[in-house]
Amino acid sequence: MAVGSLGAGSGVDLESLVNKMVSAQRDDKVKLYKNTIQGYDSKLSALGSVGSAIDTFKSTVEKLNDSDLFTGRNAIVDQPDDKKVLDVSADRNSSNGSYEISVNQTAKGSRALSTPGLFSSADDVITARGGKLTFSAGDKSFTLDVPPKTTLSQLRKQINSAEDNFGVSANLVDNGEGNLFFTITSDKEGDGSSLRISNVPTPLSQLAISDSLTQDEKDALEKAPTNASGLSLDSVSTEGLSAGMSVSLNDQARDAVITVDGIQIRNDSNTFDKAVSGLSIDALALTTKPTKVDVSYDEETVKETIKSFVSSYNDLVGVLGRSAAKGSVLNGNSMIRNLQSSMTSSFMMSHSNTGKLASVFDLGLKMGSKGTLSINEAKLDKAISQNYDELPDLFTGAGGVAGSLDKLLNSYTGRDGMNQALKDSIQKSKDNTEETLQSYEDRMTKYEASLRDKFTNLGSQLSNMKAQGNYLNSTLNNL
């Protein structure tokens, strides 16, 4: 027999004896505590799944309980998908009906182009002494301080990176025939918003050698006539006698023009959001004939919301059924039973006082033997199309199915809901059981220590007795 550390001197396996005595007192009871804690964890997990399914269902219920859902509008534009001329969106303030819309002209910004032959290289110096360039279009403008000896490529970069640039873009275009064109475009649309570029060269009296000009260069500029040829800030101006850039008639900014039911409307951008009440119209391309736009209630969104409502309801019914099934951790739970019963009752009630839609079942919904819902989509489409005005009363408010379900679910969700209260109660029981288990483990530790003290003394006595026996046996053998 193997001898543990306790009782090693006596030859008796007291270590094994202590372990068996402690195990006899501890193991069954600790296992019971741990099984109880595991049961609480299983219930908490199941209630977490239930709570998540309730929250998901409640979100779809809230959408159906929102009267704004049924006032939404949808605009259908009769045009091919690959050649759109209009984008039209409708809000709930728009009126149902049909419109004939033509795009007569699209809005655009402007472009200034340099005179052919004016520039030949991106390294052309456009100003020897520097100055200020101001770009303006409509009510927008910004000004650049152009340093002396600035080249075309440097000016292009300076324009494009200006912090207060309102939408002006500069570029260099080589036509392959020795002509380099400097183009400056503005995205400011609308009549009277064509790009204007003006300049003010730095007075010679204000220049210093530190402005990158040598004294000889300053003297040469001082002696040069005011109309001397060569590049200058004037060459990138659209104004003044020596302006080198121009905005052609075809490159000028212009309004967008549309015709709605025979009425012509102008706008300084391609988006008309005030032309027809409740409609936002984007003019994309010119039309050869009027485009038909039909505005009606957004039946498709309502239908999809109802389908989502049914789907999330079935998910919740499934979770509740699995959680409360025979052998499941929540079997027999009163909260689950009450929720299942209350939801079924809400569907069975008549929610509309008048009209053809007295309950959700008149929409093509059907409840099966297991409590789940199914949809006859053909019947749903017909009911929505023919009885749309009755939908708000059927679903929303205190008398609607979504309204009554929303009120019901409020008592189960949130921090003060029944589901959370039940979870808190179970968590408290789990915490108490864990504390009880820890206290019992502490007692078992003390019990084991007490046994070891007693058996240590016993081991010493047995060891002494063994030593005395060995002495007597030795003495008798000598005799």
Side-chain angles (χ1 to χ4, degrees):
M1 179 176 64
V3 180
S5 60
L6 188 62
S10 65
V12 180
D13 190 2
L14 298 178
E15 180 75 24
S16 178
L17 183 59
V18 168
N19 288 338
K20 289 180 179 179
M21 292 178 69
V22 172
S23 179
Q25 287 284 328
R26 174 185 179 278
D27 291 355
D28 288 344
K29 200 159 188 178
V30 168
K31 183 179 180 181
L32 180 62
Y33 283 132
K34 288 186 175 180
N35 286 342
T36 302
I37 292 171
Q38 186 178 6
Y40 289 142
D41 284 334
S42 297
K43 288 183 179 180
L44 288 172
S45 177
L47 287 172
S49 298
V50 168
S52 178
I54 293 175
D55 289 340
T56 300
F57 179 54
K58 190 174 188 299
S59 68
T60 62
V61 167
E62 289 172 346
K63 291 178 181 178
L64 271 180
N65 192 32
D66 185 358
S67 58
D68 286 346
L69 171 67
F70 304 99
T71 60
R73 300 296 199 280
N74 188 34
I76 300 176
V77 184
D78 185 15
Q79 63 185 341
D81 291 337
D82 60 345
K83 193 179 180 181
K84 289 187 175 182
V85 294
L86 289 173
D87 265 340
V88 182
S89 59
D91 62 29
R92 59 180 51 89
N93 294 317
S94 61
S95 300
N96 291 344
S98 295
Y99 302 87
E100 297 282 346
I101 302 177
S102 299
V103 179
N104 311 114
Q105 177 176 286
T106 56
K108 70 170 189 174
S110 55
R111 183 185 70 156
L113 183 67
S114 63
T115 304
L118 183 62
F119 303 120
S120 61
S121 168
D123 296 324
D124 286 347
V125 176
I126 54 93
T127 175
R129 63 187 188 184
K132 294 181 181 296
L133 271 180
T134 298
F135 302 84
S136 57
D139 58 352
K140 305 288 186 180
S141 68
F142 71 99
T143 299
L144 296 179
D145 288 316
V146 183
K149 295 186 177 181
T150 294
T151 65
L152 269 181
S153 61
Q154 290 171 337
L155 178 61
R156 172 181 176 272
K157 184 177 180 180
Q158 189 177 3
I159 292 172
N160 292 339
S161 60
E163 289 186 3
D164 52 354
N165 188 328
F166 58 82
V168 172
S169 177
N171 206 356
L172 292 169
V173 180
D174 191 333
N175 70 352
E177 298 177 358
N179 290 318
L180 185 70
F181 292 91
F182 191 45
T183 65
I184 304 178
T185 60
S186 165
D187 63 7
K188 176 68 174 175
E189 299 171 336
D191 289 355
S193 296
S194 292
L195 181 65
R196 300 188 307 278
I197 309 169
S198 59
N199 67 84
V200 179
T202 302
L204 291 175
S205 60
Q206 294 181 13
L207 291 175
I209 294 178
S210 60
D211 289 316
S212 77
L213 290 177
T214 66
Q215 188 60 50
D216 289 341
E217 288 172 327
K218 285 187 61 180
D219 292 342
L221 286 173
E222 192 75 52
K223 296 176 183 178
T226 57
N227 61 349
S229 61
L231 297 178
S232 70
L233 282 178
D234 292 333
S235 64
V236 289
S237 172
T238 61
E239 300 178 354
L241 294 177
S242 54
M245 303 190 73
S246 62
V247 179
S248 68
L249 184 63
N250 289 334
D251 285 334
Q252 291 185 2
R254 68 187 185 198
D255 285 345
V257 181
I258 64 173
T259 301
V260 180
D261 291 342
I263 302 174
Q264 192 175 88
I265 305 167
R266 304 184 70 90
N267 193 44
D268 60 5
S269 77
N270 287 313
T271 299
F272 293 76
D273 52 12
K274 296 180 180 178
V276 181
S277 178
L279 293 186
S280 177
I281 304 170
D282 285 324
L284 305 179
L286 300 182
T287 58
T288 56
K289 62 180 181 179
T291 300
K292 185 178 181 182
V293 179
D294 289 318
V295 178
S296 60
Y297 286 118
D298 191 359
E299 296 179 3
E300 190 61 30
T301 297
V302 172
K303 178 182 175 182
E304 291 303 316
T305 304
I306 293 173
K307 291 170 66 175
S308 177
F309 165 81
V310 170
S311 177
S312 61
Y313 173 78
N314 288 340
D315 288 342
L316 175 57
V317 169
V319 170
L320 295 178
R322 290 189 295 272
S323 300
K326 186 176 181 180
S328 299
V329 293
L330 296 179
N331 177 248
N333 184 275
S334 60
M335 184 196 79
I336 303 295
R337 290 198 311 271
N338 291 337
L339 178 56
Q340 289 173 316
S341 175
S342 298
M343 288 196 303
T344 302
S345 298
S346 293
F347 280 106
M348 295 303 175
M349 291 173 58
S350 177
H351 294 279
S352 180
N353 295 327
T354 60
K356 296 181 179 180
L357 303 181
S359 74
V360 293
F361 302 112
D362 294 323
L363 289 173
L365 275 63
K366 182 179 179 181
M367 183 169 288
S369 58
K370 295 183 179 180
T372 57
L373 294 172
S374 60
I375 302 176
N376 182 327
E377 292 204 32
K379 187 173 181 180
L380 177 62
D381 289 342
K382 183 178 180 180
I384 290 177
S385 176
Q386 296 182 354
N387 306 284
Y388 192 89
D389 291 342
E390 296 181 29
L391 293 176
D393 289 339
L394 177 63
F395 283 107
T396 64
V401 61
S404 62
L405 282 171
D406 196 15
K407 182 179 179 181
L408 168 66
L409 295 174
N410 280 337
S411 61
Y412 288 87
T413 59
R415 296 180 61 183
D416 299 324
M418 283 187 277
N419 189 64
Q420 185 60 48
L422 184 54
K423 288 172 66 176
D424 291 343
S425 176
I426 293 173
Q427 183 64 51
K428 184 177 180 180
S429 297
K430 177 189 172 183
D431 294 341
N432 290 338
T433 304
E434 287 177 336
E435 290 178 5
T436 303
L437 172 59
Q438 186 58 52
S439 297
Y440 186 72
E441 292 279 26
D442 292 341
R443 291 201 302 273
M444 288 297 98
T445 300
K446 293 177 181 178
Y447 173 62
E448 182 177 354
S450 174
L451 288 178
R452 288 185 176 278
D453 288 342
K454 293 177 180 178
F455 280 97
T456 296
N457 293 331
L458 177 60
S460 297
Q461 294 175 13
L462 291 175
S463 179
N464 290 335
M465 292 175 64
K466 182 178 180 182
Q468 291 175 4
N470 289 338
Y471 173 76
L472 291 173
N473 287 333
S474 176
T475 300
L476 291 174
N477 288 335
N478 290 333
L479 293 174

